[in-house]
Amino acid sequence: MANAVQNGPSAVIVLAAGAGTRMKSETPKVMHPIGGRSMVEHALAAARDLGPQRLAAVVRHQRDKVAEHILNFDSEVTIVDQDDIPGTGRAVEVGLLGLDESGEVSGTVVVTYGDVPLLRTETLRDLIAFHEEGHNAVTVLTANIDQPGSYGRIVRDAAGEVTAIVEAKDATPEQLAITEINSGIYAFDAAVLRDSLTQVTTDNAQGEKYITDVLEIARKAGHRTAALAIDDRWEVEGANDRVQLAQLGRKLNDRIVEAHMRNGVTIVDPQTTWIDSTVTISNDVTVLPGTQLQGTTTIGTGSVVGPDSTLKNVEIGQNVTIARTHGSDAQIKDGATVGPFAYLRPGTVLGESGKIGTFVETKNASIGKGSKIPHLTYAGDVTIGENSNIGAASVFVNYDGVNKHHTTVGNNVRMGSDNLYVAPVNIGDGAYSGAGTTIRKDVPAGALTVNEAPQRIIDGWVIKNRPGTDAAAAAEAAGSKAQNSSEESDK
Ligand code: UD1
Ligand code: MG
């Protein structure tokens, strides 16, 4: 992973065992996505970027699902199961014991939550630096908030030293009035943490083992304890229900969009632009309103994307224009144009200066440099060479009801409008086709292909067969007369 530092902490323990009942979801809470990653993936990425020697995740609720999800993201994580003893203290304890199995942990141990997705690596780094420079045994990350609600409160003595963390449910009215809250993110000295946890009981309002008790226990044993307050409370905010999830999603998006703007990307409407944390955008790109950029999408300099486009895992070159397009797993090379109203399905590759135009759907379609599919076309399972043109309203008929077949079109080909390419079929270099051709046979290089179906003219047909209509009156005024030849009626 990126930005790994040399002197990371000895260990990070990410707590992810909670049930998350307020999400009312079959999906475990920490697996709910915001900004292109699940909440726990955000937490793991922030932890991994610290460069810790060891990284553990504590699981219990839906443990198989959560464990698999975590290992999919980062296979180096040690998964530790929490037992039936409830509480954050027990979660940390099993996490530490789990890591101790591969050699006793010493030095700094950081604890974070799997449902706090906006926490940044830099903040954790600040916490560790503050903790180690102060020679603290316990350092808690805190924030000041006006309505501290159910958060644990940070209790300080007359000298301002942190002496305890009190849960709201166990707090006195005076303590409840404290606005400095416990984020639940900590740095501990491993040995002090291990010792203190043996003294933590479940003797409290919730009958749980609280990690928060460690601070007071450590302090009473003569160790240094401290708090580091941060300004941006959203960094330590967790999502307990879908209302909070959406709020965090908005905050995360604001942060991502702002970072891109500061890097030289023009984002015309930050409120309607949604960008995953995994997207890369070069400077001098313009993103128009209503655009969602997702997954591993990358955009090269000079490109204009949007309005109203959703692009997932799309690799976009330089000076590309993409308007009102829905696309996934596609590549658009330098100088190409797409849309408005295009649908790029997986496997679409549009070459340099190529064009996928209006009401065009592509799938597994490789379109060469300078080639164009400008209007009203379905192009599935096709390879098109360079500088070729596909006429309007064409269909690459790739499916015979059982199997998919491939069509190949050469270089400098000029195909007519309303063609059907009944795959498998090959069109040679420089070939032409007439309008309305159904192509079932290969077309050699340089050939013209047409379906010969002579056009008939039946003079006077309208006056004879549609008497009394506006069309008949117009025809008569223009000099048309009913005829009495064999061609006179089409019946
Ligand atoms: C906890 C803190 C509180 C703090 C708040 C910040 C304690 C006792 N209280 O309260 O001071 O203000 O976080 O959000 O620590 N978890 C487990 N196993 C468990 C219980 C929880 O892994 O047995 C995990 C959860 O998945 C979650 C985190 O720990 O990621 C916090 O649990 P939660 O129940 O939300 O703690 P709070 O009661 O909110
Ligand atoms: Mg909570």
Side-chain angles (χ1 to χ4, degrees):
M1 294 249 166
N3 304 328
V5 288
Q6 291 283 295
N7 298 318
S10 301
V12 180
I13 300 172
V14 178
L15 306 190
T21 29
R22 280 171 285 170
M23 293 301 280
K24 299 189 178 160
S25 177
E26 294 297 311
T27 304
K29 170 161 96 169
V30 295
M31 284 172 61
H32 280 260
I34 68 168
R37 277 178 170 157
S38 69
M39 290 202 279
V40 71
E41 285 174 343
H42 283 289
L44 292 168
R48 181 57 82 193
D49 284 352
L50 285 173
Q53 285 160 37
R54 285 181 271 177
L55 176 51
V58 180
V59 299
R60 182 178 57 201
H61 178 74
Q62 297 212 57
R63 69 86 54 204
D64 288 350
K65 243 187 184 173
V66 176
E68 191 192 343
H69 176 78
I70 288 172
L71 291 173
N72 249 337
F73 181 72
D74 185 335
S75 60
E76 303 289 303
V77 172
T78 304
I79 302 289
V80 185
D81 287 283
Q82 189 173 349
D83 53 19
D84 288 339
I85 302 171
T88 50
R90 183 57 180 170
V92 173
E93 189 170 31
V94 298
L96 186 61
L97 293 174
L99 288 176
D100 281 345
E101 280 176 22
S102 53
E104 190 167 272
V105 179
S106 63
T108 302
V109 176
V110 172
V111 171
T112 69
Y113 290 171
D115 58 356
V116 177
L118 267 63
L119 183 67
R120 293 175 309 133
T121 303
E122 295 73 58
T123 302
L124 289 173
R125 249 181 229 139
D126 291 347
L127 173 68
I128 293 166
F130 180 79
H131 172 79
E132 292 179 352
E133 281 159 20
H135 301 284
N136 303 333
V138 181
T139 308
V140 54
L141 198 64
T142 67
N144 281 286
I145 62 178
D146 293 342
Q147 295 186 320
S150 62
Y151 281 111
R153 307 297 203 270
I154 302 298
V155 180
R156 292 177 183 264
D157 65 14
E161 301 266 316
V162 180
T163 55
I165 304 169
V166 181
E167 289 307 286
K169 285 182 180 146
D170 302 296
T172 63
E174 294 73 37
Q175 289 168 335
L176 279 177
I178 297 170
T179 55
E180 185 179 15
I181 59 98
N182 171 25
S183 71
I185 316 291
Y186 318 83
F188 294 103
D189 174 75
V192 175
L193 177 62
R194 197 179 289 108
D195 281 358
S196 305
L197 278 167
T198 61
Q199 298 172 51
V200 174
T201 67
T202 57
D203 183 16
N204 51 53
Q206 300 185 90
E208 293 182 358
K209 239 179 144 164
Y210 290 165
I211 188 62
T212 46
D213 287 354
V214 165
L215 188 139
E216 197 174 355
I217 291 167
R219 188 168 187 88
K220 284 184 175 152
H223 299 289
R224 293 177 65 91
T225 57
L228 177 64
I230 61 165
D231 295 332
D232 180 7
R233 60 172 278 208
W234 291 102
E235 268 205 61
V236 296
E237 202 84 39
N240 293 308
D241 60 28
R242 298 194 203 221
V243 174
Q244 290 174 327
L245 186 69
Q247 285 168 344
L248 288 180
R250 165 58 71 192
K251 291 288 167 194
L252 178 58
N253 193 61
D254 288 348
R255 184 200 282 176
I256 294 169
V257 165
E258 179 171 336
H260 285 297
M261 292 192 289
R262 297 210 181 279
N263 284 339
V265 177
T266 295
I267 294 177
V268 173
D269 185 9
Q271 292 300 305
T272 63
T273 301
W274 289 84
I275 304 177
D276 282 356
S277 54
T278 42
V279 167
T280 309
I281 311 179
S282 299
N283 68 318
D284 286 328
V285 163
T286 299
V287 182
L288 298 174
T291 296
Q292 300 167 68
L293 303 171
Q294 303 172 338
T296 59
T297 293
T298 59
I299 309 179
T301 193
S303 293
V304 179
V305 175
D308 302 328
S309 295
T310 302
L311 304 173
K312 182 173 193 178
N313 308 331
V314 180
E315 194 184 318
I316 300 164
Q318 301 183 357
N319 303 311
V320 165
T321 304
I322 300 185
R324 298 189 197 276
T325 291
H326 193 98
S328 60
D329 301 291
Q331 282 177 49
I332 310 298
K333 304 274 164 86
D334 295 353
T337 63
V338 178
F341 307 107
Y343 180 24
L344 313 174
R345 291 168 55 199
T348 297
V349 180
L350 178 61
E352 224 180 290
S353 305
K355 175 171 181 149
I356 291 174
T358 304
F359 301 117
V360 174
E361 174 181 346
T362 57
K363 185 218 78 175
N364 188 26
S366 174
I367 300 152
K369 187 174 167 182
S371 286
K372 297 182 172 152
I373 309 183
H375 336 269
L376 298 158
T377 292
Y378 172 62
D381 298 307
V382 57
T383 304
I384 298 172
E386 298 186 356
N387 300 312
S388 289
N389 193 81
I390 303 301
S394 294
V395 176
F396 287 82
V397 182
N398 58 335
Y399 187 47
D400 63 12
V402 180
N403 294 308
K404 298 277 168 69
H405 301 281
H406 198 87
T407 294
T408 307
V409 177
N411 300 324
N412 296 294
V413 165
R414 293 280 168 279
M415 303 305 280
S417 293
D418 204 16
N419 280 195
L420 299 175
Y421 303 79
V422 183
V425 74
N426 300 302
I427 317 291
D429 291 345
Y432 271 61
S433 72
T437 307
T438 299
I439 300 167
R440 299 175 188 279
K441 293 188 284 197
D442 286 357
V443 181
L448 167 70
T449 181
V450 291
N451 289 160
E452 196 79 33
Q455 183 184 356
R456 296 165 64 198
I457 304 287
I458 303 159
D459 280 325
W461 186 94
V462 173
I463 290 170
K464 177 148 196 218
N465 293 289
R466 296 290 182 270
T469 63
D470 289 348
E476 199 157 13
S480 173
K481 294 196 170 51
Q483 306 277 317
N484 255 337
S485 73
S486 59
E487 290 273 82
E488 76 179 335
S489 166
D490 204 29
K491 280 178 195 156

